[in-house]
Amino acid sequence: MLLAIPQAVNAAQLAELRARLAPSNPDWVDGRVTAGSQGVAVKNNRQIGERTETARTLGDVVLGALERNPLFISATLPNQVYPPMFNRYDVGMYFGNHIDNAVRLLPGTGMKLRTDLSVTVFLAEPDSYDGGELVIEDRYGTQAVKLAAGDAVVYPSTSLHQVTPITRGARLACFFWVQSLIADDNQRRILFDIDQAIQRLAATGADAAACTQLSGSYHNLLRLWSAP
Ligand code: NI
């Protein structure tokens, strides 16, 4: 499932992120430092160094916003989240077709995270740059994603994807991975649909006992499918 999360960060958070991610920030490094062997050949961008204060502080801003976002939680059912990273594509930069590494080491912990979902938060206004579409090939075909600043997109990490070359301006984004409680994309989609239906039923004053029963079934399915 490919899902847009409107206003994943608010205007104040967006302003803080952009100010700290100015081109003059000395923490910008070559993006190839975190690319796998497959990605390194096709990756050409800049990233904020992973273990910098900039990455930690701004990552907390993004995660702090998303962990309070009901749509994000409902769609991802997060178990572990990789610390957010930040990238910048100037004119001529791109990230060719690749699939994200299935497993990543959580920095400083020795623990491993299985990448079930990839998340991109767009931080530059779409009319401030040309190119830079996130092109995702999922089972329903190819989709080019370029969202308003502050919006996020969540998509399966199993998808082949690329960022097209920038021809004007600069594309600024935050990205990270989620290991979901539900590894399977189909099961996660079913739970998301049920949860969304429960929210709508509750908001429209449906029979309370039936809502409770349906909500119980949701949690029982979640318990069943999230068991190791
Ligand atoms: Ni990728």
Side-chain angles (χ1 to χ4, degrees):
M1 175 173 71
L2 191 154
L3 182 76
I5 313 274
Q7 293 172 21
V9 294
N10 65 31
Q13 291 160 338
L14 185 60
E16 182 188 356
L17 292 165
R18 281 180 180 164
R20 295 283 303 274
L21 294 171
S24 57
N25 187 319
D27 291 336
W28 286 112
V29 296
D30 189 318
R32 277 171 282 215
V33 290
T34 57
S37 56
Q38 179 205 192
V40 75
V42 293
K43 188 173 184 183
N44 175 7
N45 69 1
R46 307 283 292 166
Q47 271 175 211
I48 290 290
E50 273 198 277
R51 298 194 177 213
T52 60
E53 177 63 23
T54 305
R56 269 194 300 275
T57 311
L58 300 188
D60 286 348
V61 171
V62 173
L63 290 186
L66 281 171
E67 66 194 15
R68 289 179 195 82
N69 186 307
L71 188 60
F72 176 79
I73 298 297
S74 179
T76 63
L77 297 168
N79 182 3
Q80 297 229 59
V81 174
Y82 194 89
M85 295 192 281
F86 297 86
N87 61 21
R88 176 186 175 91
Y89 294 76
D90 293 309
V91 170
M93 293 184 176
Y94 58 89
F95 196 165
N97 250 339
H98 65 282
I99 290 176
D100 294 340
N101 285 1
V103 176
R104 301 201 78 101
L105 269 179
L106 279 165
T109 67
M111 290 170 60
K112 294 185 178 106
L113 174 140
R114 184 191 61 239
T115 56
D116 295 323
L117 292 159
S118 302
V119 183
T120 295
V121 185
F122 291 80
L123 301 177
E125 295 300 345
D127 60 6
S128 70
Y129 61 99
D130 290 329
E133 283 94 1
L134 175 60
V135 177
I136 302 166
E137 293 179 26
D138 72 7
R139 77 179 105 158
Y140 302 113
T142 301
Q143 305 199 52
V145 182
K146 186 174 182 177
L147 300 179
D151 290 3
V153 63
V154 176
Y155 60 98
S157 301
T158 50
S159 314
L160 191 64
H161 58 278
Q162 63 173 306
V163 175
T164 62
I166 304 292
T167 56
R168 178 184 65 89
R171 176 194 196 268
L172 194 62
C174 170
F175 68 102
F176 61 94
W177 296 276
V178 176
Q179 179 176 319
S180 176
L181 290 164
I182 306 295
D184 183 83
D185 199 47
N186 293 317
Q187 291 179 335
R188 201 181 318 107
R189 173 68 201 239
I190 290 167
L191 287 169
F192 175 73
D193 286 342
I194 295 173
D195 188 42
Q196 294 303 299
I198 291 169
Q199 303 306 325
R200 278 204 299 279
L201 288 170
T204 51
D207 182 283
C211 286
T212 302
Q213 194 172 20
L214 189 57
S215 182
S217 296
Y218 169 85
H219 285 283
N220 287 333
L221 262 183
L222 177 55
R223 190 176 288 111
L224 189 66
W225 285 346
S226 64

